[in-house]
Amino acid sequence: MPTTAFSNHFRRELDVGQLARLMLWDTPEASEDHLSEAQRAWIRTDVRCSSCGVGGAQIVRATKSTGTRGGTRQAHFRFIGDDAMDAHHRFCEFHGADGQERQSESLVNFGSAKTIETRLIGRLVCKGIEQGIFDQTAIRGMRQWFFDLKAANRFTITINSTAVDWLSALLRHPIYPRWVFHPVQAQLPGFDWKQATNHAFTEQFWPLFDHMSGRRLRNAESRTKHLVACYAGQEVFDPAALKPSYELTLQLASFVGRNSGLDFSRSKPSEYRWKGAPPALMALCALILFVSDWQLNAAIGKFAQIMAAPAPSDPLLGNVVGLNPFHDYAAWQMVVLAQEISEQPTGIRVYDAELARIEAELREAYRAWTQRQS
Ligand SMILES: [Zn+2]
């Protein structure tokens, strides 16, 4: 249930109460209960889902539970089509969510001062809005861009967590230096069978390591398993479509982190790729790139303009919710890679069992070899 939605007329994200007060500005103490039928009809054409952009917004009144379990529900928007069914696009995060509190984890509240990064970014967002570089319509446009990308690029999850275990083990496996076993090597008194087993594993599964080359991402194993468990058998967003914008956003975030003089104390720009950048910074960088047609230097120019602008006169302007489209990007990439690896001729294996098998094979090869020598 989206508690807020986007008003095309007021050009911003509003909850039911805020929308009613704006529409009934001449009636003090007005609430959504005072809206006329005509005003409600107007809302159905004006207010859009913040994610998929569908219209048909109806106001669902707040309810107070009479039972002992509490459970009051805030007034919210419900999007209903002509067929009286849920009007959200079937890939919209709000589809089928009516009655459930669901907040997209990709959203970043620029107005919250929870971390130093968010406070710093919140000020920049204020300035950016005051300077006319972006506004809530741009944020809404970016959410629609992200939604359309998600809806157009899908794949079906066919794996389960064993495929993620297999991929994680492969990613952890030390592949260098490469070394080929020969039984003669095991004649040395301190021959290390474990090491030899690791080397032989690398050689046996080399096509997989080759396939994964250049696709190592920060470790997101538990999150990857969570996604696989949640969406098993379902059609989901293929993150490959985000790669160009992800790379640009990461470049801009790292550049800004290094060159803006802003103190993102806890994170190092050089480690953003491996450890993750502050979500608020990623959200702001993505927004500036979005309004710059994804041109890196145009975006840097806008960033410079924001940094040079005077302190914001209205600090509340930054009280908006932005989108970090790259939340979970690493985990989704891992899902895709785990699925690709599972489709290789070697299928899905259990790492420890493979090591045990290989060690037994090496020892048997050595035994047969020594027999032939005598
Ligand atoms: Zn929607």
Side-chain angles (χ1 to χ4, degrees):
M1 73 177 202
T3 43
T4 61
F6 190 82
S7 162
N8 280 332
H9 176 77
F10 295 109
R11 300 169 66 84
R12 70 188 107 147
E13 187 87 15
L14 296 165
D15 67 27
V16 170
Q18 290 166 331
L19 177 66
R21 282 190 292 280
L22 284 169
M23 291 176 71
L24 302 164
W25 56 274
D26 51 354
T27 320
E29 310 286 317
S31 76
E32 58 269 21
D33 296 336
H34 300 92
L35 291 167
S36 68
E37 264 317 304
Q39 284 169 318
R40 286 169 193 272
W42 179 84
I43 288 172
R44 280 198 285 281
T45 59
D46 177 66
V47 173
R48 309 252 139 202
C49 167
S50 314
S51 179
C52 72
V54 74
Q58 295 186 8
I59 290 174
V60 180
R61 294 169 64 171
T63 51
K64 280 202 186 69
S65 166
T66 46
T68 46
R69 290 193 177 179
T72 56
R73 275 177 66 183
Q74 212 182 324
H76 60 279
F77 297 104
R78 181 181 286 160
F79 292 85
I80 304 290
D82 293 337
D83 53 0
M85 303 292 279
D86 187 344
H88 291 285
H89 189 287
R90 74 181 173 105
F91 298 138
C92 177
E93 67 222 59
F94 298 117
H95 180 80
D98 190 60
Q100 267 172 280
E101 191 67 60
R102 216 196 268 195
Q103 176 71 316
S104 167
E105 290 168 315
S106 309
L107 298 181
V108 174
N109 185 350
F110 289 128
S112 100
K114 276 195 190 132
T115 64
I116 295 176
E117 285 91 3
T118 335
R119 267 201 295 280
L120 279 170
I121 298 294
R123 262 177 81 82
L124 297 180
V125 170
C126 275
K127 289 202 209 176
I129 293 175
E130 262 186 12
Q131 297 299 309
I133 290 171
F134 46 75
D135 58 11
Q136 290 208 42
T137 304
I139 295 175
R140 162 79 197 105
M142 190 174 150
R143 285 186 73 174
Q144 188 70 44
W145 161 81
F146 181 53
F147 179 79
D148 292 343
L149 205 62
K150 282 203 295 190
N153 298 277
R154 317 290 295 179
F155 76 103
T156 302
I157 296 190
T158 56
I159 50 170
N160 61 29
S161 68
T162 55
V164 182
D165 288 334
W166 177 228
L167 172 65
S168 304
L170 291 171
L171 288 170
R172 274 195 300 268
H173 179 80
I175 51 173
Y176 293 111
R178 295 189 59 183
W179 180 266
V180 177
F181 175 78
H182 186 285
V184 73
Q185 298 159 6
Q187 286 184 308
L188 268 75
F191 184 71
D192 184 344
W193 286 100
K194 291 273 169 276
Q195 172 99 324
T197 304
N198 275 339
H199 287 321
F201 181 97
T202 304
E203 298 309 311
Q204 283 195 15
F205 292 102
W206 185 253
L208 301 187
F209 293 115
D210 206 30
H211 187 98
M212 300 189 308
S213 128
R215 306 212 11 216
R216 276 166 194 273
L217 286 157
R218 71 191 159 93
N219 187 10
E221 188 180 340
S222 62
R223 192 68 197 160
T224 307
K225 280 190 175 177
H226 173 78
L227 294 177
V228 166
C230 279
Y231 298 99
Q234 291 182 37
E235 202 182 306
V236 294
F237 173 43
D238 181 354
L242 268 185
K243 190 171 169 50
S245 46
Y246 173 74
E247 291 297 334
L248 281 166
T249 307
L250 197 61
Q251 280 177 350
L252 180 59
S254 308
F255 177 83
V256 166
R258 275 196 297 270
N259 299 285
S260 64
L262 292 170
D263 180 21
F264 298 120
S265 53
R266 285 180 301 132
S267 52
K268 293 198 188 85
S270 56
E271 293 175 349
Y272 284 173
R273 180 176 294 276
W274 311 112
K275 297 196 172 164
L281 179 62
M282 286 297 273
L284 177 60
C285 287
L287 177 60
I288 294 181
L289 277 161
F290 178 76
V291 296
S292 310
D293 262 338
W294 300 98
Q295 300 295 311
L296 186 60
N297 284 316
I300 291 172
K302 290 194 172 72
F303 224 105
Q305 197 187 332
I306 292 174
M307 302 235 14
S313 55
D314 180 3
L316 290 177
L317 272 183
N319 206 3
V320 296
V321 172
L323 171 73
N324 172 18
F326 313 112
H327 171 81
D328 269 346
Y329 179 76
W332 280 117
Q333 291 278 65
M334 287 265 292
V335 173
V336 171
L337 192 53
Q339 189 142 321
E340 285 175 15
I341 292 294
S342 76
E343 286 160 0
Q344 298 297 305
T346 38
I348 299 166
R349 308 281 179 100
V350 176
Y351 183 68
D352 289 341
E354 289 304 306
L355 289 181
R357 172 185 64 78
I358 290 170
E359 184 171 343
E361 282 171 12
L362 296 185
R363 286 182 186 274
E364 174 54 25
Y366 176 64
R367 196 195 57 76
W369 181 80
T370 41
Q371 250 180 8
R372 282 201 301 276
Q373 301 303 306
S374 54

